[in-house]
Amino acid sequence: MIKVGIIGCGFMGTVHANCYNILEDVKVVGVSDISTERAEKIVNLTKSKFFADSDELINCSEIDAIDICLPTYLHKEFILKCCNAKKDIFCEKPFTLNLKDAEEVILKIKEAKVKLMIGMVLRFWPEYTEIKKTIDSGKFGKLKILKCTRISAPPIYGWDNWYFDPKRSGSAALDLHIHDTDYIYYLLGKPESVYSLGKKDEKGWQHIYSSYKYKDTIVNAEGGWDLSKSYGFMQEIRGVFEDGTVIEYNSKTQPLIIYKEKNSELLNITKDKINSINTDGNISEIRGYYNEIKYWIECLQNNKYPERVTPEDAKASLEIVLKEIRSAEIGKGILL
Ligand SMILES: NC(=O)c1ccc[n+]([C@@H]2O[C@H](COP(=O)([O-])OP(=O)(O)OC[C@H]3O[C@@H](n4cnc5c(N)ncnc54)[C@H](O)[C@@H]3O)[C@@H](O)[C@H]2O)c1
């Protein structure tokens, strides 16, 4: 039985707690948050203990692993505390806000010999894993065009409006759009260069459009959280292969479909134990998070490093997004 402590009981803490609750051989035994009200919800959900002092939770001998669901600017500080306590760590994305911090963390987790997995959830999202499988199979030839979109209403649910402070969140470009950047990196590796356009105000980069240069594939991604509240959230992906076959998914309008020359095929995505939950956040679908947490717990159970998302991968995605932001700032393409 893996015993987990959750720090940060907002949107993601609630999502993760629901995932742990339906997995076997894992139990949330303690939670911590500066808001007792938010923590109480997860205490009740998981029948766990509230720790007013997060250091006490991290150092509790009964706990094997810590799940960090804190605002991004706190990730490094809490990962390092977990390293000192020799606890394995799941930390939400983005890894850190800059590369220097990411490098320091990688050094410290190696010294402490602890496992760290960053929540790059698209690598576990059923439609996205199916798309990767189709691309890797090569059955329609090379992927020639890839277009990813991730757009939403502003994340007004966040504690203390931290999402709208670029120094604490990195703004939409770093926080939201990094999911697609990471998925593109997962599929195709590092691009040769990036060119981005964006919309920036006092809350940071609210919307970004990026083109990524690869030898064989034209890639574009859009991410932003400046849409009206009634729009909610939408993720979309379209790939076009060498032979003209299209693979496409849109979370609002269309399940995953492969459009071949003569016919189209609706891909059967297996339903998970739980599909959606109520949270204060802008996503209620839990499937990808469930797969991600399941993988993480299986790694701990089998004493394996989580190779599907390494800290180095999370650092590489961070580096690409930072180059995208720089490109939007100077209005020129940037080599990687
Ligand atoms: N993977 C995804 O799809 C996804 C989606 C949303 C958010 N995230 C990431 O998850 C992380 C958390 O985001 P969220 O939406 O849950 O934020 P949130 O604002 O809903 O929750 C953050 C929680 O941390 C608590 N907190 C703040 N400072 C604290 C401290 N010093 N000690 C203890 N508790 C503290 C707050 O009270 C709040 O309950 C962020 O890094 C975010 O980017 C990932």
Side-chain angles (χ1 to χ4, degrees):
M1 172 73 69
I2 304 285
K3 292 179 181 162
V4 175
I6 298 180
I7 308 183
C9 299
F11 172 33
M12 270 301 115
T14 307
V15 170
H16 290 192
N18 275 277
C19 296
Y20 290 119
N21 257 6
I22 51 174
L23 282 166
E24 282 166 16
D25 295 325
V26 56
K27 164 107 188 77
V28 176
V29 293
V31 303
S32 188
D33 196 293
I34 45 171
S35 152
T36 32
E37 195 193 321
R38 284 183 186 228
E40 253 168 33
K41 283 191 192 164
I42 300 193
V43 164
N44 292 335
L45 182 75
T46 55
K47 313 268 180 296
S48 56
K49 185 179 160 198
F50 172 59
F51 287 73
D53 180 351
S54 55
D55 287 350
E56 217 178 284
L57 172 76
I58 292 171
N59 290 294
C60 172
S61 59
E62 211 200 320
I63 288 174
D64 304 305
I66 300 290
D67 184 336
I68 301 173
C69 292
L70 291 166
T72 306
Y73 71 101
L74 295 169
H75 289 180
K76 176 187 152 190
E77 178 189 337
F78 280 78
I79 292 175
L80 296 189
K81 285 182 183 190
C82 294
C83 286
N84 287 337
K86 302 275 187 242
K87 295 290 161 73
D88 292 320
I89 312 148
F90 184 98
C91 179
E92 260 308 336
K93 47 48 62 180
F95 190 1
T96 56
L97 291 166
N98 61 65
L99 288 177
K100 193 171 156 279
D101 284 353
E103 275 156 17
E104 189 182 335
V105 166
I106 290 176
L107 202 70
K108 289 283 158 54
I109 56 155
K110 290 207 166 128
E111 278 170 13
K113 297 191 172 56
V114 297
K115 300 178 185 70
L116 168 67
M117 178 164 150
I118 305 293
M120 293 304 194
V121 72
L122 286 192
R123 295 179 185 226
F124 300 87
W125 207 272
E127 286 79 3
Y128 288 75
T129 54
E130 201 58 43
I131 290 173
K132 177 161 167 50
K133 257 196 254 165
T134 309
I135 294 170
D136 290 349
S137 77
K139 60 184 172 187
F140 303 118
K142 281 184 183 160
L143 182 72
K144 293 312 263 181
I145 297 167
L146 180 68
K147 168 89 169 68
C148 301
T149 309
R150 183 162 309 275
I151 46 178
S152 106
I156 48 169
Y157 60 84
W159 162 80
D160 193 38
N161 271 333
W162 73 272
Y163 275 111
F164 306 120
D165 175 356
K167 290 202 174 67
R168 293 194 286 176
S169 73
S171 70
L174 193 57
D175 187 90
L176 177 83
H177 168 71
I178 198 167
H179 282 299
D180 288 308
T181 302
D182 179 68
Y183 182 71
I184 293 164
Y185 170 71
Y186 184 46
L187 291 181
L188 302 170
K190 257 192 200 180
E192 289 166 30
S193 64
V194 291
Y195 176 69
S196 304
L197 299 170
K199 192 180 130 204
K200 189 185 182 191
D201 59 21
E202 72 288 350
K203 294 178 193 151
W205 290 96
Q206 302 287 318
H207 215 112
I208 191 156
Y209 273 89
S210 294
S211 298
Y212 309 74
K213 189 168 189 303
Y214 287 93
K215 190 166 152 278
D216 295 318
T217 320
I218 297 168
V219 184
N220 182 269
E222 173 191 5
W225 61 32
D226 47 355
L227 279 69
S228 61
K229 197 174 168 191
S230 67
Y231 188 84
F233 169 81
M234 185 273 266
Q235 60 182 1
E236 182 186 47
I237 177 160
R238 185 189 321 116
V240 183
F241 293 91
E242 223 166 359
D243 70 351
T245 299
V246 179
I247 189 160
E248 192 173 57
Y249 159 69
N250 179 307
S251 62
K252 267 179 184 286
T253 59
Q254 186 190 301
L256 185 61
I257 297 179
I258 296 192
Y259 298 90
K260 298 177 205 159
E261 189 61 28
K262 294 208 174 108
N263 61 353
S264 64
E265 182 190 345
L266 175 69
L267 289 185
N268 219 350
I269 300 294
T270 339
K271 292 280 174 231
D272 300 311
K273 276 194 186 168
I274 183 167
N275 282 311
S276 69
I277 52 161
N278 284 327
T279 67
D280 295 332
N282 54 4
I283 307 172
S284 60
E285 261 197 278
I286 196 174
R287 302 172 304 144
Y289 301 108
Y290 171 79
N291 294 343
E292 172 190 72
I293 297 288
K294 184 167 179 283
Y295 171 79
W296 153 244
I297 292 302
E298 282 168 0
C299 286
L300 296 189
Q301 284 162 346
N302 298 312
N303 195 21
K304 282 195 168 157
Y305 280 88
E307 283 169 1
R308 201 148 145 197
V309 192
T310 64
E312 286 79 7
D313 289 334
K315 186 190 135 203
S317 304
L318 175 67
E319 183 189 355
I320 300 168
V321 176
L322 291 172
K323 294 266 164 77
E324 291 174 51
I325 293 173
R326 184 73 190 130
S327 166
E329 269 163 5
I330 63 172
K332 285 184 188 162
I334 301 227
L335 290 173
L336 268 111

